[in-house]
Amino acid sequence: MPVVAYVDGEFFTDISQAKVSIEDRGYQFGDGVYEVIRSYDGKLFGTQEHMARLDRSLKEIELDLPPGMDIDAVTAVAREALARSTFASALIYIQVSRGTVPRDHSIPEESRSTLVVTVRPFTPATQEVWETGLAAITLPDQRWLRCDIKTVNLLANVLAITKARRMGFQEAILIREGVGVTECSRNNLFIVKDGLCLTAPRSNWILTGITRNFVLRLLAENNIPYEETFFDKGALLAADEVFLTGTGNEVMPITKIDEQLINEGQPGPLTRRIAELFREFVQKSI
Ligand SMILES: Cc1ncc(COP(=O)(O)O)c(C=O)c1O
């Protein structure tokens, strides 16, 4: 089945035909922002939340949508791309960059933003993988000071996940000097200690995940105690349970960190419950 791509008003079924200029500022400066939305049963999940975050990211870097487009128009493109793909389970990637202008660092007075959307089939982790949980390595958080903006500048994340994988781990847990454990290279992070869930607070140090926010809402609704606070590596390694959250992974246990097993290498009971609550929530929402 073809991957669907969209570039500035045109849909493509052959992704190699979908092209952007070498002078696009997204390519030259990483001057752009993005979103990734998941579809379940052919329906987008969390659209409003993802689009609100895209809108915020755009505003934070003073980037306009292409002329004549607003957030609703971008949502319509994402929906149409998904419908054209015919994929039931897909990841919809949406990127806005500052367009094609002769290379100069400062934001140009005038430019026409580039909107790119791709839809790729997505196979979620199997139950067997979930039951095994992921192994994560701790690494220094080397990102910039505005991790709250979902920009296409992902070099520090790229280097972290690459290092993790080369060492045989599936995720990197990032630790910011003087701050504490922030999140993972591509997911947010939660720990559980004595029945209390902890996750880093909404701040410039993390990308505030849509999945994270839904999980916090579910914790509140189900009277599961939680705190949004930074914690250090000692607390991470001493946790009863650790799990990550993200659009693709939903709620996924981490059962090994560095060389240490968490909960004897098994998904913990609270992780199991929260994952179940999240799956029910998705089914109710789509
Ligand atoms: C650095 C980082 N943190 C967290 C997340 C999880 O966010 P979401 O739940 O919105 O997918 C992502 C997702 O791409 C990410 O890149």
Side-chain angles (χ1 to χ4, degrees):
M1 270 193 278
V3 168
V4 166
Y6 167 98
V7 184
D8 283 338
E10 206 180 336
F11 285 94
F12 301 84
T13 47
D14 178 356
I15 200 163
S16 68
Q17 296 302 308
K19 295 201 168 100
V20 173
S21 164
I22 60 162
E23 287 214 290
D24 189 274
R25 288 178 62 93
Y27 174 66
Q28 294 197 333
F29 295 107
D31 187 356
V33 294
Y34 76 107
E35 272 303 319
V36 181
I37 309 182
R38 182 161 165 192
S39 77
Y40 294 83
D41 298 333
K43 285 168 256 169
L44 297 177
F45 169 68
T47 317
Q48 213 184 317
E49 289 77 7
H50 281 281
M51 286 304 173
R53 186 170 65 184
L54 178 64
D55 196 34
R56 177 181 184 277
S57 295
L58 287 163
K59 292 198 167 81
E60 289 296 327
I61 69 161
E62 300 175 34
L63 179 56
D64 293 328
L65 287 168
M69 285 193 102
D70 58 12
I71 280 288
D72 290 343
V74 179
T75 310
V77 170
R79 283 193 203 290
E80 180 168 357
L82 177 63
R84 284 178 183 238
S85 79
T86 74
F87 301 141
S89 172
L91 288 180
I92 297 88
Y93 177 82
I94 302 167
Q95 177 180 312
V96 186
S97 59
R98 211 178 303 268
T100 300
V101 277
R103 188 174 187 281
D104 177 60
H105 283 60
S106 62
I107 294 177
E109 288 298 324
E110 277 180 38
S111 64
R112 187 189 194 287
S113 299
T114 307
L115 172 64
V116 166
V117 176
T118 60
V119 183
R120 291 173 187 278
F122 178 69
T123 309
T126 60
Q127 192 58 26
E128 198 185 336
V129 167
W130 197 94
E131 291 296 338
T132 307
L134 302 186
I137 187 172
T138 55
L139 290 176
D141 193 339
Q142 296 183 327
R143 296 174 299 165
W144 71 327
L145 306 181
R146 292 301 309 274
C147 302
D148 55 309
I149 305 172
K150 200 163 168 64
T151 94
V152 296
N153 278 273
L154 290 171
L155 202 44
N157 310 57
V158 166
L159 295 176
I161 188 68
T162 303
K163 187 164 185 185
R165 285 182 177 156
R166 285 188 182 153
M167 294 176 77
F169 295 85
Q170 291 123 331
E171 243 301 11
I173 296 175
L174 307 176
I175 304 179
R176 173 80 67 170
E177 213 184 317
V179 176
V181 176
T182 51
E183 57 180 331
C184 301
S185 74
R186 308 179 306 160
N187 295 280
N188 291 110
L189 188 75
F190 285 72
I191 64 171
V192 181
K193 188 68 183 173
D194 300 328
L196 176 68
C197 295
L198 301 180
T199 194
R202 183 188 285 263
S203 60
N204 61 310
W205 302 112
I206 66 160
L207 181 79
T208 308
I210 303 304
T211 321
R212 169 198 183 273
N213 290 351
F214 283 141
V215 163
L216 290 180
R217 198 202 289 179
L218 290 169
L219 296 181
E221 285 170 8
N222 290 277
N223 299 314
I224 301 170
Y226 72 88
E227 252 176 60
E228 292 178 76
T229 180
F230 288 110
F231 47 87
D232 63 13
K233 185 170 171 178
L236 172 69
L237 294 174
D240 300 328
E241 303 177 34
V242 179
F243 62 89
L244 56 73
T245 62
T247 292
N249 282 304
E250 302 180 330
V251 174
M252 173 68 77
I254 294 180
T255 49
K256 187 179 152 195
I257 299 177
D258 297 339
E259 289 313 316
Q260 187 182 311
L261 293 182
I262 303 294
N263 192 41
E264 294 173 355
Q266 306 287 323
L270 207 49
T271 305
R272 209 174 273 288
R273 180 158 174 232
I274 296 163
E276 194 49 43
L277 287 171
F278 184 77
R279 285 182 194 147
E280 282 168 16
F281 173 71
V282 170
Q283 289 311 315
K284 270 189 269 169
S285 312
I286 57 171

